[in-house]
Structure formats: C-alpha cells, structure tokens
Amino acid sequence: MGVISFAVDDVSPQTIWLHAFTFSLGFVFAAVVFSSSLHNWIFSWNHDMENGETRKRRKERNSTASDPGGEGLIRSNSWRDKENFETANPVRLNRTGSLPDVNILSLNAQFHKQLSPEEDAAAMIERLMQSRGEMSVPTVLRHDSITPSLTQDEAILEWLRENFTNQGPSKRVPRLKSVSKGICFAIKMKRAAKKHVTSEESKFSTPEEACANTVMTVTEDERMQICEALKHVSDWDFDVWKFRELTHGQELQTLGWHILHLHDIQEVFHTTDDVIVKWLNFVASQYMDNPYHSATHAADVLQAVNYFLTVGGASKYLAKIEVLSMLLAAIVHDMGHDGLNNNFHKNSRSERALSFNDESIQEQYHISTLFMKTFANPGMNIFENLSDLQLAEVRRMMIKMVLDTDMSKHFTHMASFRTLLEQKDSTEIIMSTVLHFCGACSLRDISNPMRCEYLSKIWAERVMEEFFRQGDKEMELGIPVSPNCNRHNTSTHTTQIGFINFIVLDSCEIMKDFLPVVGEICLPELRSNLRYWQSFAEPAKGKEE
C-alpha cells in the first residue's frame, strides 16, 4: 500500500484531469461513429425489407441498371467483375446502390478499355449489330403484317415470305471473323486504288482463241460473229440468248472458256486446254432443259459475275485464286437443277430432300454432284494439279458460295454483307454476295430485273413458266400448290413488282456503296423495268375502282 500511495502521490492533479478528459473525448467520438454506422445499416436493412429484396437481388438490379441498353460493354451476369472494377475505380452510387445516369457512359467507356483486342472487336460489332440489327425483313412480308396493297396481293407476299425468309424461330447471326482476317482485308482494301488491268491491256485469251477451242463446227461467218459477240462480254446488256444461237447451244462452254482464260486459269490451276474443254462440256451436260434453270442461265450468271469483277472492280479486292473460284462457282451453281424449288422437294419428301435433310436442298445437290463427278474422272479434273492446301481452300470457297445462293437466307446474308463492309472484315462475304447478287440457285436471279427491258422480260416469262410447271406437278401429286405456281390465278406483273420492291431494290441500295456501277448502270434499268410492270397493274386497279 505504501508503494502505491507513493506512486499516486508523485502524479499531479493536473495530469490526472488531462488523462480523464482525453479518455472521455475518445469515448464520445467512438459512440458517434458507431451510432452513425448503426443508423446506416438499419436504414439499408429496412429499405431491403420494404421492397422484398435480398442483397443478391439488389446486386443483380444494380448490374442491369449499369448497362440499361444491353449494349454488352458491361456483362450484367458477371457482378463480381463489375464489383472488382468499382473497387479499383470508385464511382459515386445513389442511395439504392445503382449508378446515376450521368455516370453510366463513363463507366461503360472505362470498363470497355479493360477488354482484350479480341473482346474489344467483338463488343464493337455486337453493339453495331444491336443498334442497326439484321437487315430487317420488310414489314409487309411478316406474318403479322397489315393488309397488302392493291398491287401486292397475298399470294405474292406469301411467295416472298416462303422463298426469301428463313423458316422457324431461329435466325443466323453474322459470325465474327478473326482480327487477323480483318487486318488482311484492310490491306486488300488499300490495293483498291491500284489501276485495274483490263482485258485489252493483258495477255489473256482472245475471242478468236475461245471460238477455236469450242467443240462445234461453225462456218467462217459464224466464227466471226461469235468473236465479235465475245468482244462485248463485259457489257451489261450482253445478249446471252443471241449468243446461244450463235454457238448452237454451247454458250456455257464458249463463254466459260473465254472468261476463265481472261483470268489466267492455266497460270493458277496449272491445267491444260484439253482438261478445261472436257470439264466445261461435262458441266454443261449436267444442266437440264428447263425454261429458266438451264445452261443459258449459268452462262448469264457467269457473264454477270465477270462484269462485277472487271467493270465493277470487285476483283481488286481478291486474289487470283479467289476470282477463279468465284467464276467456277458461277458456272456450276445450278448444275443438275430439275426446275423445282427447295420447298417442292421438302413438301414432296423427294430423294434430294431426304439426302440433304431439308437444308439448302438444291444448292447442296449442285455442289456435291460437281465434286463427286469431277474427282471420279481424272481426265476432266481441273483441280488435279492444285496443291492439297490450294484444293482445300478452293473447295471450301466454292461450297460456301454455292450454298449462299439459297434465297431463303437472303435478308440475313445481305445484313452480313452490309456489316462486314463497314468493318472491312473479310473477302469471303464479298465473293458470296456477288454470286448471290448475280444468281439465286433454287429460285431466280436478283440480277435479271436489272438487265435491259428486252432481256428482263425474257427471264421473267421463263421463270414464271417454270413456276407454273411446278404448280402443275404439285396438283398431280396432291400436295399444296406453292405460291405463284398456279397458272390459273397468278400474274407475271404482280410477281415482278413484289420481287423488285422487296428484294432487288434493297439489295441494290446495299451493293451500290461497294460497287458504284450498280448505282450508275443497274439501278436505272431496274427502275425502268419496275415502271414497265407497274403499267400493267394500273389499268387493273382502275377497273376495280
């Protein structure tokens, strides 16, 4: 006790009071802080209870609120990533924990910078696709559309829906190509400024050589006429029907020989003239004598593809092997066509439909037949001297191009083309779209109504006759008659008006930005033909009134 008393006696009263005051001040401060924290916790707990929300639900709501447009820049289903990001980059929250609108774009931009180059490219294209979307099917072609106008009856609209739109709920979305392909395509785009070598300036085949290598016998006068016609092979108004007469029905072989040599097929494929002639004769023999889908149709599509490659300038974006793959695909894209569309084969459960599981039936038949029979006959195999790598690439490109002529995927395909043109992503979509633009495998060509009135009328009459023959066959089999295939209640002019308005015009509007010649040459012809067909509808409209 004495020791303790001695220690206390040594402490002055002022020191004791100072320590007591400091301890009291600290206690008061701690109490205030604890009270404030307790109040905030109680407020948050009460708020959650009142709204029936758990902490997990509130986090999910905040994640959605941070990306209200669903743009994909912040993944709403990954709260942990967002929470970690907010910890490293604090952003002021409102009382409910959600981000105020003023900070949403800022957070999106900052979070966007954290992505890898591949994720960045994916997010950018995803945003574009969501903002612009797939090239939408015209409203009047949807099943929930309003009553059709006087010039587009329900049969025409049903035909367009059935043949030019995908059936079923799922739709294909354009696939994101690799960044490396995007870089390669950008490099190719830079080459576009290079002067294109025309056939007159090159060492390519002459019309005389093309005529000399045909397998027919012609007089000297006929030979001169054929040579003169081939000099105009790059004209948009090239008359393939007159050329058919001049070549005695060998228009595909003669035109094919000439155009393939214009683009140096022997230099790239290392094949011989004899093999090329045999292969062209084989392909031509596979085309049936249909009103529309015939060897003449294949020759017409080949000439159109060559026109857009040379005069249109599309070849400036492509390598030689890509150009030749396009031309070969044009030559074979309808071989073996029986004059019946994919819907007929599906409805009748034909052997072709069963073989290809109702998917792009005619297109798969054409390209599979081509490769099976070509590889089985070495004497006419133009692919024989390609390396394994080259053959695999040519085969892959040709398969894709021919399958993409399936018009049921038209709107999706044109949307892909528009998007990839904006992104400058790949040459593959250019190749497929140019062939798609020139020839639609199982239905009819987009390019026909863009020809001069004389040629456009011939093709329109022929495609309708093929439709009517299909309708006759459907009646015989007792299956539903396809739209526009009943010769007793279908008019050519209403079919043409619907086809031009909903399919061809939109396609031209997209293509003209890539190929200016479409806007300069093809669109005026198209509008003139539209006025021609509308002139037939106006008198009928007047009678009804």
Side-chain angles (χ1 to χ4, degrees):
M1 290 294 295
V3 175
I4 295 175
S5 298
F6 179 79
V8 173
D9 290 342
D10 283 346
V11 179
S12 64
Q14 292 83 357
T15 301
I16 294 174
W17 281 107
L18 179 61
H19 282 289
F21 177 77
T22 303
F23 177 80
S24 300
L25 186 62
F27 180 83
V28 171
F29 180 78
V32 170
V33 172
F34 177 78
S35 175
S36 177
S37 299
L38 181 62
H39 177 271
N40 287 340
W41 180 82
I42 293 174
F43 175 85
S44 177
W45 184 80
N46 286 337
H47 185 274
D48 287 349
M49 292 298 293
E50 290 172 359
N51 291 278
E53 293 183 344
T54 63
R55 178 174 178 78
K56 179 179 179 181
R57 174 59 182 159
R58 187 169 72 255
K59 287 181 178 179
E60 292 174 350
R61 177 169 49 97
N62 293 342
S63 176
T64 303
S66 65
D67 192 18
E71 296 296 324
L73 299 182
I74 293 180
R75 295 173 175 82
S76 60
N77 61 347
S78 181
W79 169 261
R80 187 183 300 265
D81 291 342
K82 177 176 176 293
E83 190 172 45
N84 292 337
F85 174 76
E86 290 174 350
T87 302
N89 302 273
V91 180
R92 180 177 298 174
L93 303 176
N94 60 25
R95 296 186 71 181
T96 63
S98 60
L99 291 171
D101 293 342
V102 70
N103 289 321
I104 291 174
L105 295 179
S106 174
L107 180 58
N108 275 336
Q110 293 180 55
F111 191 81
H112 189 53
K113 294 177 182 178
Q114 309 300 315
L115 301 176
S116 68
E118 291 80 9
E119 291 176 320
D120 186 89
M124 178 174 62
I125 291 185
E126 180 185 357
R127 186 175 72 252
L128 284 172
M129 291 305 297
Q130 289 181 352
S131 60
R132 297 193 63 169
E134 179 183 74
M135 179 183 176
S136 59
V137 176
T139 302
V140 74
L141 296 187
R142 299 171 190 165
H143 288 285
D144 56 350
S145 64
I146 58 175
T147 303
S149 63
L150 292 176
T151 57
Q152 295 129 14
D153 60 32
E154 185 56 33
I156 306 301
L157 299 177
E158 186 58 32
W159 171 70
L160 291 166
R161 291 189 195 109
E162 182 177 288
N163 292 285
F164 294 91
T165 60
N166 282 329
Q167 301 297 314
S170 61
K171 290 186 178 180
R172 295 190 178 182
V173 179
R175 183 180 62 179
L176 175 66
K177 303 295 182 183
S178 66
V179 175
S180 61
K181 284 190 176 181
I183 294 172
C184 291
F185 184 72
I187 293 173
K188 289 182 180 180
M189 289 292 287
K190 290 181 181 178
R191 293 194 212 144
K194 255 188 359 179
K195 186 180 178 210
H196 184 61
V197 180
T198 64
S199 58
E200 289 77 15
E201 299 169 329
S202 68
K203 56 183 176 60
F204 295 154
S205 168
T206 64
E208 287 76 10
E209 291 173 326
C211 184
N213 281 277
T214 57
V215 294
M216 60 189 173
T217 302
V218 294
T219 65
E220 180 61 22
D221 182 57
E222 289 174 329
R223 188 188 69 81
M224 292 180 63
Q225 292 183 59
I226 293 172
C227 292
E228 184 63 29
L230 286 173
K231 292 178 181 178
H232 300 280
V233 72
S234 295
D235 295 347
W236 183 240
D237 58 355
F238 180 83
D239 189 346
V240 71
W241 293 102
K242 181 179 179 181
F243 192 72
R244 179 186 183 182
E245 294 178 5
L246 292 174
T247 59
H248 300 284
Q250 298 201 35
E251 64 280 13
L252 182 58
Q253 297 98 308
T254 309
L255 200 62
W257 169 273
H258 181 55
I259 291 177
L260 289 176
H261 280 78
L262 285 178
H263 295 276
D264 273 346
I265 185 171
Q266 288 176 310
E267 177 185 321
V268 179
F269 280 59
H270 308 291
T271 187
T272 65
D273 289 344
D274 182 59
V275 171
I276 295 172
V277 169
K278 289 180 179 178
W279 184 80
L280 287 170
N281 282 328
F282 154 70
V283 173
S285 70
Q286 297 298 300
Y287 279 90
M288 300 184 183
D289 188 22
N290 300 313
Y292 185 83
H293 290 102
S294 61
T296 309
H297 159 73
D300 184 61
V301 172
L302 173 63
Q303 190 273 334
V305 169
N306 180 69
Y307 175 82
F308 289 120
L309 284 170
T310 54
V311 179
S315 63
K316 294 183 288 187
Y317 307 114
L318 307 172
K320 277 189 176 181
I321 198 167
E322 292 174 321
V323 169
L324 286 165
S325 296
M326 279 190 67
L327 296 171
L328 294 176
I331 292 172
V332 307
H333 82 283
D334 265 338
M335 60 177 288
H337 199 295
D338 55 4
L340 305 166
N341 64 25
N342 285 338
N343 285 322
F344 174 90
H345 283 283
K346 185 189 301 184
N347 293 336
S348 63
R349 299 187 186 94
S350 69
E351 183 179 347
R352 291 190 188 186
L354 297 176
S355 297
F356 300 107
N357 299 314
D358 294 347
E359 284 292 325
S360 301
I361 301 164
Q362 290 280 32
E363 294 78 13
Q364 297 220 49
Y365 176 80
H366 305 322
I367 196 64
S368 65
T369 301
L370 175 275
F371 283 114
M372 281 193 297
K373 294 193 175 182
T374 298
F375 293 156
N377 295 276
M380 65 174 193
N381 185 2
I382 62 171
F383 309 106
E384 187 173 16
N385 295 321
L386 292 174
S387 68
D388 290 342
L389 185 61
Q390 288 175 322
L391 177 57
E393 185 67 6
V394 168
R395 178 167 148 76
R396 182 188 62 79
M397 289 188 292
M398 289 181 66
I399 290 172
K400 176 173 173 50
M401 282 185 280
V402 172
L403 293 185
D404 281 344
T405 60
D406 183 353
M407 287 301 289
S408 68
K409 304 168 186 174
H410 168 75
F411 291 103
T412 298
H413 189 76
M414 295 308 293
S416 303
F417 181 67
R418 178 175 59 186
T419 302
L420 289 174
L421 281 182
E422 293 172 354
Q423 301 302 318
K424 298 179 174 56
D425 192 50
S426 173
T427 59
E428 288 185 8
I429 196 68
I430 291 178
M431 298 163 65
S432 290
T433 304
V434 170
L435 181 57
H436 177 88
F437 193 63
C438 296
C441 191
S442 62
L443 194 60
R444 62 163 304 175
D445 295 354
I446 294 176
S447 62
N448 289 163
M450 297 185 293
R451 298 285 192 175
C452 66
E453 184 178 303
Y454 161 72
L455 293 174
S456 181
K457 285 168 60 179
I458 292 177
W459 288 118
E461 291 167 359
R462 284 182 164 269
V463 76
M464 294 308 299
E465 177 56 29
E466 191 164 295
F467 286 172
F468 294 152
R469 290 187 185 183
Q470 174 176 315
D472 295 342
K473 195 172 185 67
E474 288 169 330
M475 289 181 183
E476 292 175 9
L477 295 174
I479 61 177
V481 178
S482 299
N484 277 6
C485 291
N486 189 332
R487 65 174 70 246
H488 304 295
N489 58 16
T490 302
S491 63
T492 300
H493 66 268
T494 53
T495 304
Q496 294 301 306
I497 292 171
F499 182 58
I500 292 174
N501 278 334
F502 296 114
I503 305 300
V504 189
L505 274 173
D506 285 341
S507 301
C508 286
E509 289 298 325
I510 295 175
M511 288 294 291
K512 73 177 184 180
D513 293 332
F514 174 63
L515 301 175
V517 71
V518 173
E520 297 165 3
I521 304 297
C522 303
L523 262 176
E525 292 283 7
L526 177 65
R527 294 193 175 105
S528 175
N529 290 329
L530 178 59
R531 289 192 294 271
Y532 170 79
W533 295 115
Q534 287 174 334
S535 67
F536 289 92
E538 289 170 359
K541 180 180 176 181
K543 289 180 181 180
E544 291 178 4
E545 293 175 348

